[in-house]
Amino acid sequence: MKSSNRLEKSNSPYLLQHAENPVDWFPWGEEAFRKAKQENKPVFLSIGYSTCHWCHVMAHESFEDQEVADLLNREFVSIKVDREERPDIDQVYMNVCQVLTGRGGWPLSIFMTPEKKPFFAGTYFPTERRMGMPGFKDVCNTVVEAWAGQRPLLEESSEQITASIQEPPEENRKNPGKEILRSGFLFLERNYDSKWGGFGPAPKFPSPHNLMFLLRRHARDGDRSALGMVEKTLRAMRSGGIFDQFGFGFHRYSVDEQWLVPHFEKMLYDQAMISLACAEAGQVTGKDFYRQVAAEIAEYVIRDMTSPEGAFYSAEDADSEGGEGRFYTWEPGEGQGLPGEGERGPLFCEYFNITETGNFEDGRSIPHLAESLESFASREGVDPEALNKSFSESRQKLLELRGKRPRPLRDDKIISGWNGLMIAALARGYQVFRDPGLLEAAAGCAEFILGRMRGKDGRLYRSCRGGELGIPAFLEDYAFLVWGLIELYEAAFDTRYLKEAISLSESMIDLFADPGRGGFFFTGKDSEELISRARDGHDGAIPSGNSAAVMNLLRLAGMTGRADLGKAAEEAIKAYYPQAELNPAGSTHFLSGCDFYLGPSSEIIVSGDPEDPVAIRMCQAIQQAYLPNKVLMFRGAGGTSRDLDEVSEFTGTMGEVPDQPKVFWCEGFACREPITTLDKLREVIASTR
């Protein structure tokens, strides 16, 4: 029987993966630091997450090794942290790693004093030195020698490092101008890969907020090249190995420039953000391709990532059967003899590039598309519609065959912020593509988060697993959930969602606002005090909490007429504008917020009977149009209008709901004549593009 360490009582899938390590792991907490002080030992902090490939590698090589464990247990107090449960801890010490080494990533390895002050940082270390990398045992022994013989120098260094990551008391503040939007576009244009799509060299990340910013650039200036970058990138990603061609959904990133070989983990937030980009691309172009991709993502998430209660799980691992990508790749000949397909099996394999030589490890193949179905069918002399039907049936058969393999680990914790992003994606998808299943899934998730992931005082929580709540939520959780609720309101026009979005935003301002500099801290005023209180405005794999908060507050200010919400957004923009000027590539969602702020923006209110077909079509016409800087409200009769009037000064003075549907369209503090026909509404929509 294997022995267990202190992690066995954890609720985190990542920490539970390490519960049987011979390392005497502690979870983050005062017990560990108290022991380090009492025994005069340095602390080794290891941060990762359950679907991290190199975390698994380091765990197998070092943390499962008895010799390494003996060294750690004898000389250190060792702490394990799940970065998805505790992004506050991760953010602080990742900043340390980037300051000390110029790079970051996971697993994150930190050596620090019992006072939580770091003096050495790195990421993955092999057990023994190789390929120019120091061995983990050598690193540990060097730290032990320094702790014994040069303790004052280490402590002085830790003080200097801690001071270096403290934010300065003041920052330059600046009013935004349109020139920053052009700078952001030019940066993306310079880094665009015109051959394969995407930005920069390998590895390539989806970064959907880059694409959403470019769509706004296209809408503002009519720049066709901006739209071209978006379309080529989304099509290349959908055709590549980064997309799961049989089970759908996107993998984390591509290790090559062609989107062919992915890092195979799947993250909920990637599904959400790519789906949002597809919905917006569908609004701009009207092309069915984007509806198809959004529907495929939703099919994967609803099928494989949905809890019985309707919320969404966090991630799926890259590894299974001892190797990365084993679940998703195919051996030579697989698929050739699909039952009932006859000659279609070889065609299917040819189309999806399942070959004898393979394109991945051990001769296995990553399914991907080298040409369109129409082009392939024409070359083979086959009817494309019949071929598509046949291939869909074959794909389903191989998906069923794949389902018999050992699945990668699924991280089944529910993270409120990532669920907020998925709510936003599903609700926006419903607005654009009119699939009622998307709205149903979004509403079901919202019910779980609002009903099960808040304390009695209304405080939102970060995570939930097995009915057990984690710790109080962070800025991004509030901002992403509010984003989802705004999209859900504009999809379903249930005023309850709008009221919840306003209430959560008020709580966000109270908990996270930085009144001295503007913008928001990552941690709440009630959160654990760490060696620094982080403020993050960088749009990385997903938008920052500050960027999302800016957009939310501008939209809510437009809906409610509340100057305090607009002021909070403006202060955040001024605070982070200098950072965006220096690093536009890491600020594209922030720049989308600046685009909204700079205007023109529109407040649109449809008023009428919610059952009236004309009123319904009016709402749909607005929802399906690409109007990125608008807010949309619906004012029906009776209680619906009273609920909305309680929170919106725009609707509160409108009087009775008219018998004939009307659209009240305001822009730049001026309102048009009420619009009473669909033709006139379509004319106005067309004039704003």
Side-chain angles (χ1 to χ4, degrees):
M1 181 176 178
K2 292 185 178 180
S3 61
S4 299
N5 54 46
R6 291 170 179 82
L7 301 184
E8 67 176 344
K9 297 180 181 179
S10 171
N11 197 34
S12 159
Y14 175 64
L15 299 190
L16 289 172
Q17 288 174 358
H18 295 269
E20 294 183 349
N21 290 168
V23 177
D24 186 18
W25 292 113
F26 283 75
W28 179 274
E30 285 307 311
E31 181 187 2
F33 294 104
R34 186 166 54 248
K35 178 180 172 67
K37 289 176 184 177
Q38 291 172 347
E39 299 184 6
N40 194 27
K41 290 180 178 179
V43 172
F44 170 59
L45 171 65
S46 176
I47 302 178
Y49 57 103
S50 67
T51 58
C52 165
H53 173 69
W54 287 103
C55 299
H56 297 328
V57 173
M58 189 167 178
H60 177 67
E61 291 179 344
S62 294
F63 304 146
E64 296 173 8
D65 182 270
Q66 190 63 53
E67 183 181 352
V68 173
D70 290 342
L71 173 59
L72 288 173
N73 296 342
R74 183 176 64 251
E75 304 291 349
F76 298 88
V77 173
S78 301
I79 297 175
K80 260 289 176 192
V81 166
D82 181 343
R83 68 170 291 261
E84 295 175 352
E85 284 194 335
R86 295 301 304 265
D88 54 332
I89 299 170
D90 177 64
Q91 193 170 86
V92 168
Y93 292 102
M94 184 60 72
N95 191 10
V96 169
C97 186
Q98 290 168 336
V99 166
L100 293 180
T101 70
R103 63 187 183 90
W106 298 276
L108 178 60
S109 302
I110 301 287
F111 293 88
M112 58 186 178
T113 70
E115 291 72 37
K116 308 176 187 177
K117 296 179 179 180
F119 53 81
F120 184 82
T123 54
Y124 163 77
F125 294 105
T127 304
E128 307 288 349
R129 174 182 294 273
R130 71 168 185 262
M131 298 177 64
M133 291 186 289
F136 184 62
K137 288 191 291 187
D138 293 337
V139 169
C140 290
N141 284 319
T142 299
V143 170
V144 170
E145 292 173 8
W147 187 258
Q150 298 175 301
R151 175 81 171 271
L153 288 178
L154 286 186
E155 290 179 337
E156 181 183 355
S157 175
S158 74
E159 293 289 346
Q160 293 173 346
I161 292 167
T162 300
S164 74
I165 64 170
Q166 302 290 339
E167 292 263 357
E170 293 183 5
E171 291 182 354
N172 295 326
R173 292 163 57 80
K174 191 172 180 181
N175 290 316
K178 292 183 181 178
E179 66 276 1
I180 189 66
L181 304 180
R182 177 168 173 76
S183 296
F185 167 71
L186 291 176
F187 187 93
L188 290 176
E189 186 178 49
R190 286 194 300 271
N191 286 275
Y192 175 66
D193 183 342
S194 59
K195 182 176 182 180
W196 301 107
F199 303 92
K204 277 186 177 171
F205 290 81
S207 302
H209 40 290
N210 288 350
L211 308 181
M212 295 163 73
F213 167 70
L214 288 172
L215 290 174
R216 284 157 177 77
R217 171 73 182 183
H218 170 68
R220 180 176 285 275
D221 294 334
D223 195 313
R224 297 295 301 177
S225 65
L227 179 59
M229 286 188 270
V230 173
E231 292 218 73
K232 185 176 183 65
T233 298
L234 286 174
R235 288 184 177 275
M237 286 167 50
R238 170 59 181 82
S239 296
I242 192 175
F243 183 74
D244 180 357
Q245 298 292 337
F246 296 167
F248 302 153
F250 282 87
H251 299 296
R252 182 66 198 92
Y253 62 86
S254 175
V255 302
D256 64 286
E257 63 181 4
Q258 303 178 37
W259 304 107
L260 172 59
V261 180
H263 180 42
F264 286 91
E265 66 183 306
K266 288 182 177 179
M267 309 299 295
L268 180 65
Y269 55 70
D270 285 323
Q271 315 312 316
M273 291 301 301
I274 297 171
S275 185
L276 277 165
C278 286
E280 292 197 350
Q283 287 175 311
V284 172
T285 67
K287 294 178 181 177
D288 188 63
F289 169 78
Y290 301 107
R291 179 207 59 76
Q292 173 194 333
V293 179
E296 289 168 342
I297 293 172
E299 180 179 329
Y300 159 67
V301 170
I302 292 170
R303 182 190 67 229
D304 290 343
M305 297 290 282
T306 305
S307 73
E309 301 86 359
F312 304 117
Y313 299 132
S314 299
E316 288 195 298
D317 205 339
D319 296 9
S320 61
E321 298 184 87
E324 183 176 7
R326 298 287 296 182
F327 184 73
Y328 298 103
T329 55
W330 299 84
E331 295 178 351
E334 284 188 289
Q336 293 283 353
L338 289 168
E341 294 300 315
E343 74 281 2
R344 291 286 195 249
L347 276 182
F348 179 87
C349 289
E350 182 180 353
Y351 179 63
F352 283 99
N353 289 280
I354 300 173
T355 66
E356 290 297 320
T357 55
N359 53 31
F360 191 55
E361 299 167 356
D362 302 322
R364 299 176 71 88
S365 293
I366 303 168
H368 67 284
L369 309 179
E371 61 182 315
S372 69
L373 182 73
E374 291 75 18
S375 171
F376 183 82
S378 176
R379 181 162 55 80
E380 295 293 332
V382 182
D383 176 63
E385 187 172 333
L387 193 64
N388 184 49
K389 182 176 183 296
S390 171
F391 281 0
S392 295
E393 293 170 353
S394 297
R395 182 195 66 80
Q396 186 60 42
K397 289 174 182 176
L398 282 190
L399 182 62
E400 292 170 2
L401 178 63
R402 193 179 80 177
K404 297 176 182 178
R405 299 174 178 175
R407 288 191 67 90
L409 171 76
R410 182 175 62 194
D411 189 327
D412 59 356
K413 68 176 175 291
I414 295 161
I415 295 177
S416 56
W418 299 2
N419 274 255
L421 290 177
M422 201 67 231
I423 292 168
L426 293 166
R428 179 69 72 88
Y430 170 75
Q431 293 177 56
V432 181
F433 306 123
R434 313 313 298 179
D435 180 349
L438 303 183
L439 181 60
E440 180 182 354
C445 179
E447 292 302 319
F448 179 88
I449 303 299
L450 293 173
R452 303 275 294 278
M453 292 192 67
R454 293 193 290 187
K456 292 180 180 179
D457 60 353
R459 181 66 158 95
L460 183 66
Y461 277 72
R462 166 70 175 179
S463 63
C464 177
R465 182 170 185 264
E468 181 180 329
L469 293 177
I471 66 171
F474 302 103
L475 172 65
E476 68 174 30
D477 299 303
Y478 275 83
F480 294 162
L481 180 56
V482 169
W483 185 354
L485 292 171
I486 293 172
E487 295 291 350
L488 193 50
Y489 169 74
E490 290 195 344
F493 301 117
D494 184 336
T495 312
R496 182 169 60 100
Y497 298 131
L498 179 56
K499 288 183 175 181
E500 291 281 14
I502 295 167
S503 176
L504 285 164
S505 294
E506 291 170 341
S507 296
M508 180 191 75
I509 293 170
D510 176 60
L511 288 165
F512 302 98
D514 182 350
R517 289 173 289 181
F520 302 93
F521 291 107
F522 186 81
T523 55
K525 63 185 183 182
D526 59 349
S527 298
E528 177 185 353
E529 186 174 346
L530 301 174
I531 60 172
S532 70
R533 193 177 180 193
R535 284 163 44 95
D536 183 25
H538 176 76
D539 298 325
I542 52 179
S544 72
N546 271 281
S547 296
V550 163
M551 186 71 83
N552 293 339
L553 292 168
L554 290 172
R555 294 173 75 180
L556 290 175
M559 289 175 160
T560 64
R562 284 179 49 175
D564 61 324
L565 299 180
K567 182 67 172 176
E570 183 178 38
E571 291 300 307
I573 288 173
K574 289 179 180 179
Y576 285 99
Y577 192 76
Q579 176 180 308
E581 284 188 307
L582 292 172
N583 183 22
S587 308
T588 51
H589 193 71
F590 176 81
L591 295 182
S592 292
C594 291
D595 186 80
F596 193 114
Y597 175 79
L598 292 166
S601 58
S602 303
E603 299 83 37
I604 306 171
I605 303 158
V606 179
S607 187
D609 184 343
E611 303 298 324
D612 188 311
V614 176
I616 294 171
R617 288 198 292 273
M618 284 178 161
C619 291
Q620 290 177 355
I622 298 165
Q623 289 168 328
Q624 292 179 310
Y626 185 66
L627 302 166
N629 296 342
K630 68 96 175 70
V631 294
L632 174 63
M633 294 174 281
F634 184 85
R635 187 169 183 264
T640 303
S641 67
R642 287 193 299 272
D643 286 346
L644 185 59
D645 294 349
E646 288 176 6
V647 297
S648 173
E649 70 175 33
F650 292 109
T651 66
T653 59
M654 291 177 64
E656 294 297 319
V657 175
D659 294 332
Q660 179 186 17
K662 292 183 179 180
V663 178
F664 298 86
W665 192 304
C666 303
E667 184 176 292
F669 305 101
C671 295
R672 302 171 182 264
E673 285 288 325
I675 301 166
T676 58
T677 68
L678 271 168
D679 287 342
K680 180 62 177 176
L681 176 60
R682 292 182 179 123
E683 179 184 319
V684 171
I685 290 172
S687 71
T688 64
R689 294 183 175 181

